[in-house]
Amino acid sequence: MFSKLGRSIYFPVMLIAVALILFIDAFAIIMFADTVEDAYTGSGQSRAARALDLCTLYINSVSANTYNLAADEEIIAELENPTGRTIISKLDAVCNYTLKVDGVCIYSKSGAVYTSSEMAEPPTLDELKRSEGIAQFAEDDSQAYVSLRTENIADIYHNVSYPDELGVVTCCRKIYGESGDVVGLIFADILPSNLYDYALSGSAFDGATVFISSENFFFGYGGNEQSEELLTGGGNYFRFEASSDELPLTVTVFDDKGEYNAMVWTLTGALGGVSVVLIIGVHFAAKRTATAFTSHLDKLAAKMNAQNIP
């Protein structure tokens, strides 16, 4: 008799219970996902910033070595009054001592070119000046400049042909004579492979794809050329980026979201399983409550009908 009333009790209870359970699940998943993502983001940004700091430290260290060369009295004397005396040993000492400089080249105002022994077939000064930054540096009053480029690079380093497209970082510095005039230009090259090795030292970047880039290109290393499309967006990756105010340099780190997604899906599955159990429990409880309530009404109605029988 009161089955319709029973359904009126059962369905609202189930609807409210299911809605509440789903709301709690969604809230918990969103909060968990945001918390874990914040943790990944904080860690990733720290790693990118650390790598950028190490890159900057590396480059500044090389720049300091060019300063020492530019202040060397024997080098200045040779550039002002060429005697044929070699200064290669001084350039080699910088490369061998610091392990940070891959090659050093000095161009004198008289047209002479001096290179460290591991460097061969350097570009001419006119070729270097095809780079807008180097051309401007050669003409203005600045004493030092850092060039990041993928053209007009010395062909051979350490007896290995070097492709221009891999790029080079060059610390440039002017050499001044006793009169205060510029008598030469120093170009100290850093190969990106060494910059990557130094900046990505340790295990913090295991499994990540890292790009060290300038304004218009990135330095290829360790297979990241195959992942270049990451820089244009897309893919299931976290992206972390740190840029330098001092140099036109950016470090970009890509971390696969696989572990993060697995954690979120694991929580979703666990909550889903618990929710199913809760919904089944609510179903039986609501069913039992509705049945108990309507059965009491049925008994009461039966008594009333029995008393009304003539």
PDB file of all heavy atoms in Angstrom, residues 57-69 90-104 188-190 194 198:
ATOM      1  N   LEU A  57      77.428  30.744 -13.303  1.00  0.00           N
ATOM      2  CA  LEU A  57      78.701  30.633 -12.590  1.00  0.00           C
ATOM      3  C   LEU A  57      79.807  30.156 -13.516  1.00  0.00           C
ATOM      4  O   LEU A  57      80.927  30.692 -13.495  1.00  0.00           O
ATOM      5  CB  LEU A  57      78.538  29.667 -11.410  1.00  0.00           C
ATOM      6  CG  LEU A  57      79.803  29.375 -10.598  1.00  0.00           C
ATOM      7  CD1 LEU A  57      80.285  30.631  -9.894  1.00  0.00           C
ATOM      8  CD2 LEU A  57      79.526  28.264  -9.567  1.00  0.00           C
ATOM      9  N   TYR A  58      79.490  29.162 -14.333  1.00  0.00           N
ATOM     10  CA  TYR A  58      80.462  28.611 -15.286  1.00  0.00           C
ATOM     11  C   TYR A  58      80.927  29.700 -16.248  1.00  0.00           C
ATOM     12  O   TYR A  58      82.133  29.914 -16.454  1.00  0.00           O
ATOM     13  CB  TYR A  58      79.781  27.479 -16.053  1.00  0.00           C
ATOM     14  CG  TYR A  58      80.687  26.597 -16.876  1.00  0.00           C
ATOM     15  CD1 TYR A  58      80.836  25.256 -16.569  1.00  0.00           C
ATOM     16  CD2 TYR A  58      81.378  27.078 -17.987  1.00  0.00           C
ATOM     17  CE1 TYR A  58      81.646  24.427 -17.328  1.00  0.00           C
ATOM     18  CE2 TYR A  58      82.186  26.271 -18.748  1.00  0.00           C
ATOM     19  CZ  TYR A  58      82.323  24.938 -18.416  1.00  0.00           C
ATOM     20  OH  TYR A  58      83.135  24.125 -19.171  1.00  0.00           O
ATOM     21  N   ILE A  59      79.970  30.399 -16.835  1.00  0.00           N
ATOM     22  CA  ILE A  59      80.301  31.430 -17.821  1.00  0.00           C
ATOM     23  C   ILE A  59      81.075  32.576 -17.175  1.00  0.00           C
ATOM     24  O   ILE A  59      82.049  33.090 -17.741  1.00  0.00           O
ATOM     25  CB  ILE A  59      79.015  31.944 -18.498  1.00  0.00           C
ATOM     26  CG1 ILE A  59      78.394  30.825 -19.336  1.00  0.00           C
ATOM     27  CG2 ILE A  59      79.296  33.168 -19.371  1.00  0.00           C
ATOM     28  CD1 ILE A  59      77.005  31.129 -19.861  1.00  0.00           C
ATOM     29  N   ASN A  60      80.660  32.978 -15.975  1.00  0.00           N
ATOM     30  CA  ASN A  60      81.369  34.057 -15.278  1.00  0.00           C
ATOM     31  C   ASN A  60      82.793  33.652 -14.932  1.00  0.00           C
ATOM     32  O   ASN A  60      83.707  34.490 -14.926  1.00  0.00           O
ATOM     33  CB  ASN A  60      80.614  34.456 -14.014  1.00  0.00           C
ATOM     34  CG  ASN A  60      79.349  35.234 -14.315  1.00  0.00           C
ATOM     35  OD1 ASN A  60      79.191  35.773 -15.408  1.00  0.00           O
ATOM     36  ND2 ASN A  60      78.442  35.297 -13.357  1.00  0.00           N
ATOM     37  N   SER A  61      82.975  32.357 -14.629  1.00  0.00           N
ATOM     38  CA  SER A  61      84.313  31.865 -14.333  1.00  0.00           C
ATOM     39  C   SER A  61      85.213  31.978 -15.562  1.00  0.00           C
ATOM     40  O   SER A  61      86.376  32.389 -15.464  1.00  0.00           O
ATOM     41  CB  SER A  61      84.239  30.417 -13.860  1.00  0.00           C
ATOM     42  OG  SER A  61      85.525  29.879 -13.662  1.00  0.00           O
ATOM     43  N   VAL A  62      84.679  31.616 -16.716  1.00  0.00           N
ATOM     44  CA  VAL A  62      85.446  31.746 -17.955  1.00  0.00           C
ATOM     45  C   VAL A  62      85.725  33.212 -18.251  1.00  0.00           C
ATOM     46  O   VAL A  62      86.821  33.590 -18.687  1.00  0.00           O
ATOM     47  CB  VAL A  62      84.691  31.077 -19.124  1.00  0.00           C
ATOM     48  CG1 VAL A  62      85.401  31.344 -20.444  1.00  0.00           C
ATOM     49  CG2 VAL A  62      84.563  29.579 -18.879  1.00  0.00           C
ATOM     50  N   SER A  63      84.709  34.060 -18.020  1.00  0.00           N
ATOM     51  CA  SER A  63      84.900  35.493 -18.251  1.00  0.00           C
ATOM     52  C   SER A  63      86.013  36.045 -17.362  1.00  0.00           C
ATOM     53  O   SER A  63      86.792  36.905 -17.784  1.00  0.00           O
ATOM     54  CB  SER A  63      83.589  36.230 -17.990  1.00  0.00           C
ATOM     55  OG  SER A  63      83.719  37.607 -18.296  1.00  0.00           O
ATOM     56  N   ALA A  64      86.106  35.540 -16.133  1.00  0.00           N
ATOM     57  CA  ALA A  64      87.173  35.979 -15.233  1.00  0.00           C
ATOM     58  C   ALA A  64      88.537  35.578 -15.777  1.00  0.00           C
ATOM     59  O   ALA A  64      89.526  36.321 -15.640  1.00  0.00           O
ATOM     60  CB  ALA A  64      86.963  35.383 -13.843  1.00  0.00           C
ATOM     61  N   ASN A  65      88.610  34.408 -16.418  1.00  0.00           N
ATOM     62  CA  ASN A  65      89.869  33.976 -17.018  1.00  0.00           C
ATOM     63  C   ASN A  65      90.271  34.865 -18.187  1.00  0.00           C
ATOM     64  O   ASN A  65      91.450  35.128 -18.397  1.00  0.00           O
ATOM     65  CB  ASN A  65      89.758  32.519 -17.478  1.00  0.00           C
ATOM     66  CG  ASN A  65      89.859  31.541 -16.318  1.00  0.00           C
ATOM     67  OD1 ASN A  65      90.830  31.538 -15.569  1.00  0.00           O
ATOM     68  ND2 ASN A  65      88.848  30.723 -16.150  1.00  0.00           N
ATOM     69  N   THR A  66      89.290  35.308 -18.947  1.00  0.00           N
ATOM     70  CA  THR A  66      89.617  36.240 -20.052  1.00  0.00           C
ATOM     71  C   THR A  66      90.124  37.563 -19.489  1.00  0.00           C
ATOM     72  O   THR A  66      90.977  38.212 -20.097  1.00  0.00           O
ATOM     73  CB  THR A  66      88.396  36.491 -20.953  1.00  0.00           C
ATOM     74  OG1 THR A  66      87.361  37.146 -20.204  1.00  0.00           O
ATOM     75  CG2 THR A  66      87.860  35.196 -21.527  1.00  0.00           C
ATOM     76  N   TYR A  67      89.601  37.961 -18.331  1.00  0.00           N
ATOM     77  CA  TYR A  67      90.090  39.188 -17.691  1.00  0.00           C
ATOM     78  C   TYR A  67      91.571  39.045 -17.340  1.00  0.00           C
ATOM     79  O   TYR A  67      92.385  39.970 -17.550  1.00  0.00           O
ATOM     80  CB  TYR A  67      89.266  39.476 -16.440  1.00  0.00           C
ATOM     81  CG  TYR A  67      89.766  40.663 -15.652  1.00  0.00           C
ATOM     82  CD1 TYR A  67      89.383  41.958 -15.993  1.00  0.00           C
ATOM     83  CD2 TYR A  67      90.635  40.480 -14.571  1.00  0.00           C
ATOM     84  CE1 TYR A  67      89.863  43.049 -15.273  1.00  0.00           C
ATOM     85  CE2 TYR A  67      91.113  41.566 -13.847  1.00  0.00           C
ATOM     86  CZ  TYR A  67      90.727  42.846 -14.196  1.00  0.00           C
ATOM     87  OH  TYR A  67      91.193  43.926 -13.490  1.00  0.00           O
ATOM     88  N   ASN A  68      91.927  37.881 -16.794  1.00  0.00           N
ATOM     89  CA  ASN A  68      93.331  37.655 -16.438  1.00  0.00           C
ATOM     90  C   ASN A  68      94.223  37.661 -17.668  1.00  0.00           C
ATOM     91  O   ASN A  68      95.346  38.194 -17.635  1.00  0.00           O
ATOM     92  CB  ASN A  68      93.468  36.327 -15.694  1.00  0.00           C
ATOM     93  CG  ASN A  68      92.775  36.340 -14.342  1.00  0.00           C
ATOM     94  OD1 ASN A  68      92.621  37.394 -13.742  1.00  0.00           O
ATOM     95  ND2 ASN A  68      92.349  35.169 -13.872  1.00  0.00           N
ATOM     96  N   LEU A  69      93.745  37.072 -18.760  1.00  0.00           N
ATOM     97  CA  LEU A  69      94.528  37.093 -20.000  1.00  0.00           C
ATOM     98  C   LEU A  69      94.690  38.518 -20.524  1.00  0.00           C
ATOM     99  O   LEU A  69      95.769  38.904 -20.995  1.00  0.00           O
ATOM    100  CB  LEU A  69      93.850  36.230 -21.069  1.00  0.00           C
ATOM    101  CG  LEU A  69      93.942  34.711 -20.918  1.00  0.00           C
ATOM    102  CD1 LEU A  69      93.104  34.024 -21.991  1.00  0.00           C
ATOM    103  CD2 LEU A  69      95.388  34.240 -20.999  1.00  0.00           C
ATOM    104  N   LYS A  90     100.252  30.339 -22.799  1.00  0.00           N
ATOM    105  CA  LYS A  90      99.385  31.054 -21.864  1.00  0.00           C
ATOM    106  C   LYS A  90      97.914  30.729 -22.133  1.00  0.00           C
ATOM    107  O   LYS A  90      97.108  30.595 -21.196  1.00  0.00           O
ATOM    108  CB  LYS A  90      99.631  32.553 -21.958  1.00  0.00           C
ATOM    109  CG  LYS A  90     100.995  32.986 -21.430  1.00  0.00           C
ATOM    110  CD  LYS A  90     101.149  34.481 -21.479  1.00  0.00           C
ATOM    111  CE  LYS A  90     102.477  34.906 -20.860  1.00  0.00           C
ATOM    112  NZ  LYS A  90     102.525  34.648 -19.390  1.00  0.00           N
ATOM    113  N   LEU A  91      97.568  30.601 -23.403  1.00  0.00           N
ATOM    114  CA  LEU A  91      96.187  30.247 -23.744  1.00  0.00           C
ATOM    115  C   LEU A  91      95.889  28.809 -23.346  1.00  0.00           C
ATOM    116  O   LEU A  91      94.799  28.509 -22.833  1.00  0.00           O
ATOM    117  CB  LEU A  91      95.958  30.444 -25.242  1.00  0.00           C
ATOM    118  CG  LEU A  91      96.314  31.820 -25.825  1.00  0.00           C
ATOM    119  CD1 LEU A  91      95.880  31.918 -27.284  1.00  0.00           C
ATOM    120  CD2 LEU A  91      95.690  32.937 -25.001  1.00  0.00           C
ATOM    121  N   ASP A  92      96.862  27.923 -23.563  1.00  0.00           N
ATOM    122  CA  ASP A  92      96.682  26.524 -23.164  1.00  0.00           C
ATOM    123  C   ASP A  92      96.557  26.393 -21.652  1.00  0.00           C
ATOM    124  O   ASP A  92      95.793  25.545 -21.144  1.00  0.00           O
ATOM    125  CB  ASP A  92      97.872  25.679 -23.641  1.00  0.00           C
ATOM    126  CG  ASP A  92      97.803  25.379 -25.123  1.00  0.00           C
ATOM    127  OD1 ASP A  92      96.712  25.550 -25.709  1.00  0.00           O
ATOM    128  OD2 ASP A  92      98.826  24.973 -25.695  1.00  0.00           O
ATOM    129  N   ALA A  93      97.304  27.223 -20.929  1.00  0.00           N
ATOM    130  CA  ALA A  93      97.259  27.146 -19.469  1.00  0.00           C
ATOM    131  C   ALA A  93      95.851  27.429 -18.959  1.00  0.00           C
ATOM    132  O   ALA A  93      95.381  26.785 -18.020  1.00  0.00           O
ATOM    133  CB  ALA A  93      98.252  28.135 -18.863  1.00  0.00           C
ATOM    134  N   VAL A  94      95.163  28.367 -19.614  1.00  0.00           N
ATOM    135  CA  VAL A  94      93.792  28.686 -19.212  1.00  0.00           C
ATOM    136  C   VAL A  94      92.888  27.483 -19.459  1.00  0.00           C
ATOM    137  O   VAL A  94      92.072  27.111 -18.613  1.00  0.00           O
ATOM    138  CB  VAL A  94      93.267  29.921 -19.975  1.00  0.00           C
ATOM    139  CG1 VAL A  94      91.787  30.126 -19.714  1.00  0.00           C
ATOM    140  CG2 VAL A  94      94.044  31.154 -19.562  1.00  0.00           C
ATOM    141  N   CYS A  95      93.038  26.861 -20.634  1.00  0.00           N
ATOM    142  CA  CYS A  95      92.193  25.704 -20.973  1.00  0.00           C
ATOM    143  C   CYS A  95      92.480  24.514 -20.068  1.00  0.00           C
ATOM    144  O   CYS A  95      91.557  23.821 -19.617  1.00  0.00           O
ATOM    145  CB  CYS A  95      92.416  25.309 -22.431  1.00  0.00           C
ATOM    146  SG  CYS A  95      91.954  26.581 -23.628  1.00  0.00           S
ATOM    147  N   ASN A  96      93.748  24.265 -19.800  1.00  0.00           N
ATOM    148  CA  ASN A  96      94.133  23.077 -19.039  1.00  0.00           C
ATOM    149  C   ASN A  96      93.948  23.246 -17.539  1.00  0.00           C
ATOM    150  O   ASN A  96      93.662  22.283 -16.819  1.00  0.00           O
ATOM    151  CB  ASN A  96      95.594  22.715 -19.327  1.00  0.00           C
ATOM    152  CG  ASN A  96      95.807  22.329 -20.778  1.00  0.00           C
ATOM    153  OD1 ASN A  96      94.913  21.798 -21.419  1.00  0.00           O
ATOM    154  ND2 ASN A  96      96.996  22.625 -21.304  1.00  0.00           N
ATOM    155  N   TYR A  97      94.096  24.472 -17.068  1.00  0.00           N
ATOM    156  CA  TYR A  97      94.024  24.701 -15.628  1.00  0.00           C
ATOM    157  C   TYR A  97      92.581  24.700 -15.134  1.00  0.00           C
ATOM    158  O   TYR A  97      92.251  24.098 -14.127  1.00  0.00           O
ATOM    159  CB  TYR A  97      94.702  26.022 -15.276  1.00  0.00           C
ATOM    160  CG  TYR A  97      94.580  26.376 -13.810  1.00  0.00           C
ATOM    161  CD1 TYR A  97      95.313  25.674 -12.852  1.00  0.00           C
ATOM    162  CD2 TYR A  97      93.730  27.400 -13.389  1.00  0.00           C
ATOM    163  CE1 TYR A  97      95.195  25.987 -11.503  1.00  0.00           C
ATOM    164  CE2 TYR A  97      93.611  27.714 -12.042  1.00  0.00           C
ATOM    165  CZ  TYR A  97      94.345  27.009 -11.100  1.00  0.00           C
ATOM    166  OH  TYR A  97      94.219  27.321  -9.781  1.00  0.00           O
ATOM    167  N   THR A  98      91.709  25.386 -15.854  1.00  0.00           N
ATOM    168  CA  THR A  98      90.351  25.552 -15.354  1.00  0.00           C
ATOM    169  C   THR A  98      89.429  24.409 -15.736  1.00  0.00           C
ATOM    170  O   THR A  98      88.431  24.157 -15.071  1.00  0.00           O
ATOM    171  CB  THR A  98      89.729  26.848 -15.903  1.00  0.00           C
ATOM    172  OG1 THR A  98      89.589  26.730 -17.328  1.00  0.00           O
ATOM    173  CG2 THR A  98      90.596  28.047 -15.583  1.00  0.00           C
ATOM    174  N   LEU A  99      89.737  23.725 -16.845  1.00  0.00           N
ATOM    175  CA  LEU A  99      88.867  22.682 -17.394  1.00  0.00           C
ATOM    176  C   LEU A  99      87.486  23.240 -17.743  1.00  0.00           C
ATOM    177  O   LEU A  99      86.524  22.502 -17.874  1.00  0.00           O
ATOM    178  CB  LEU A  99      88.729  21.505 -16.423  1.00  0.00           C
ATOM    179  CG  LEU A  99      90.018  20.764 -16.080  1.00  0.00           C
ATOM    180  CD1 LEU A  99      89.733  19.656 -15.073  1.00  0.00           C
ATOM    181  CD2 LEU A  99      90.674  20.192 -17.329  1.00  0.00           C
ATOM    182  N   LYS A 100      87.401  24.546 -17.874  1.00  0.00           N
ATOM    183  CA  LYS A 100      86.132  25.175 -18.207  1.00  0.00           C
ATOM    184  C   LYS A 100      86.157  25.824 -19.583  1.00  0.00           C
ATOM    185  O   LYS A 100      85.131  26.165 -20.133  1.00  0.00           O
ATOM    186  CB  LYS A 100      85.767  26.236 -17.156  1.00  0.00           C
ATOM    187  CG  LYS A 100      85.401  25.688 -15.791  1.00  0.00           C
ATOM    188  CD  LYS A 100      84.990  26.822 -14.862  1.00  0.00           C
ATOM    189  CE  LYS A 100      84.456  26.287 -13.541  1.00  0.00           C
ATOM    190  NZ  LYS A 100      85.479  25.635 -12.736  1.00  0.00           N
ATOM    191  N   VAL A 101      87.336  26.029 -20.137  1.00  0.00           N
ATOM    192  CA  VAL A 101      87.478  26.709 -21.419  1.00  0.00           C
ATOM    193  C   VAL A 101      87.906  25.689 -22.466  1.00  0.00           C
ATOM    194  O   VAL A 101      88.906  24.994 -22.301  1.00  0.00           O
ATOM    195  CB  VAL A 101      88.516  27.850 -21.333  1.00  0.00           C
ATOM    196  CG1 VAL A 101      88.558  28.616 -22.641  1.00  0.00           C
ATOM    197  CG2 VAL A 101      88.192  28.782 -20.182  1.00  0.00           C
ATOM    198  N   ASP A 102      87.146  25.597 -23.545  1.00  0.00           N
ATOM    199  CA  ASP A 102      87.463  24.615 -24.592  1.00  0.00           C
ATOM    200  C   ASP A 102      88.435  25.158 -25.623  1.00  0.00           C
ATOM    201  O   ASP A 102      89.147  24.388 -26.275  1.00  0.00           O
ATOM    202  CB  ASP A 102      86.178  24.160 -25.278  1.00  0.00           C
ATOM    203  CG  ASP A 102      85.319  23.322 -24.350  1.00  0.00           C
ATOM    204  OD1 ASP A 102      85.666  22.157 -24.119  1.00  0.00           O
ATOM    205  OD2 ASP A 102      84.310  23.840 -23.839  1.00  0.00           O
ATOM    206  N   GLY A 103      88.467  26.438 -25.817  1.00  0.00           N
ATOM    207  CA  GLY A 103      89.392  27.018 -26.773  1.00  0.00           C
ATOM    208  C   GLY A 103      89.454  28.524 -26.596  1.00  0.00           C
ATOM    209  O   GLY A 103      88.465  29.153 -26.232  1.00  0.00           O
ATOM    210  N   VAL A 104      90.637  29.080 -26.831  1.00  0.00           N
ATOM    211  CA  VAL A 104      90.830  30.527 -26.718  1.00  0.00           C
ATOM    212  C   VAL A 104      91.470  31.035 -27.994  1.00  0.00           C
ATOM    213  O   VAL A 104      92.398  30.430 -28.534  1.00  0.00           O
ATOM    214  CB  VAL A 104      91.723  30.896 -25.510  1.00  0.00           C
ATOM    215  CG1 VAL A 104      91.878  32.416 -25.409  1.00  0.00           C
ATOM    216  CG2 VAL A 104      91.146  30.335 -24.223  1.00  0.00           C
ATOM    217  N   ALA A 188      86.914  33.356 -25.780  1.00  0.00           N
ATOM    218  CA  ALA A 188      87.073  32.078 -25.071  1.00  0.00           C
ATOM    219  C   ALA A 188      85.792  31.276 -25.231  1.00  0.00           C
ATOM    220  O   ALA A 188      84.722  31.698 -24.789  1.00  0.00           O
ATOM    221  CB  ALA A 188      87.379  32.317 -23.597  1.00  0.00           C
ATOM    222  N   ASP A 189      85.900  30.121 -25.880  1.00  0.00           N
ATOM    223  CA  ASP A 189      84.717  29.320 -26.222  1.00  0.00           C
ATOM    224  C   ASP A 189      84.417  28.241 -25.185  1.00  0.00           C
ATOM    225  O   ASP A 189      85.323  27.576 -24.668  1.00  0.00           O
ATOM    226  CB  ASP A 189      84.924  28.636 -27.578  1.00  0.00           C
ATOM    227  CG  ASP A 189      84.851  29.626 -28.736  1.00  0.00           C
ATOM    228  OD1 ASP A 189      84.463  30.788 -28.499  1.00  0.00           O
ATOM    229  OD2 ASP A 189      85.192  29.236 -29.868  1.00  0.00           O
ATOM    230  N   ILE A 190      83.129  28.070 -24.932  1.00  0.00           N
ATOM    231  CA  ILE A 190      82.632  26.990 -24.073  1.00  0.00           C
ATOM    232  C   ILE A 190      81.701  26.138 -24.921  1.00  0.00           C
ATOM    233  O   ILE A 190      80.716  26.653 -25.473  1.00  0.00           O
ATOM    234  CB  ILE A 190      81.839  27.528 -22.869  1.00  0.00           C
ATOM    235  CG1 ILE A 190      82.641  28.566 -22.097  1.00  0.00           C
ATOM    236  CG2 ILE A 190      81.390  26.391 -21.974  1.00  0.00           C
ATOM    237  CD1 ILE A 190      81.794  29.356 -21.108  1.00  0.00           C
ATOM    238  N   ASN A 194      79.851  20.721 -22.313  1.00  0.00           N
ATOM    239  CA  ASN A 194      80.464  20.917 -21.002  1.00  0.00           C
ATOM    240  C   ASN A 194      79.573  21.757 -20.093  1.00  0.00           C
ATOM    241  O   ASN A 194      79.518  21.537 -18.878  1.00  0.00           O
ATOM    242  CB  ASN A 194      81.829  21.584 -21.156  1.00  0.00           C
ATOM    243  CG  ASN A 194      82.826  20.683 -21.855  1.00  0.00           C
ATOM    244  OD1 ASN A 194      82.776  19.475 -21.703  1.00  0.00           O
ATOM    245  ND2 ASN A 194      83.717  21.260 -22.641  1.00  0.00           N
ATOM    246  N   TYR A 198      78.100  20.339 -16.543  1.00  0.00           N
ATOM    247  CA  TYR A 198      78.335  21.078 -15.300  1.00  0.00           C
ATOM    248  C   TYR A 198      77.016  21.464 -14.632  1.00  0.00           C
ATOM    249  O   TYR A 198      76.845  21.296 -13.423  1.00  0.00           O
ATOM    250  CB  TYR A 198      79.151  22.331 -15.604  1.00  0.00           C
ATOM    251  CG  TYR A 198      79.591  23.100 -14.381  1.00  0.00           C
ATOM    252  CD1 TYR A 198      80.654  22.652 -13.597  1.00  0.00           C
ATOM    253  CD2 TYR A 198      78.946  24.276 -14.014  1.00  0.00           C
ATOM    254  CE1 TYR A 198      81.063  23.357 -12.473  1.00  0.00           C
ATOM    255  CE2 TYR A 198      79.346  24.985 -12.890  1.00  0.00           C
ATOM    256  CZ  TYR A 198      80.411  24.530 -12.132  1.00  0.00           C
ATOM    257  OH  TYR A 198      80.809  25.233 -11.019  1.00  0.00           O
TER     258      TYR A 198
END
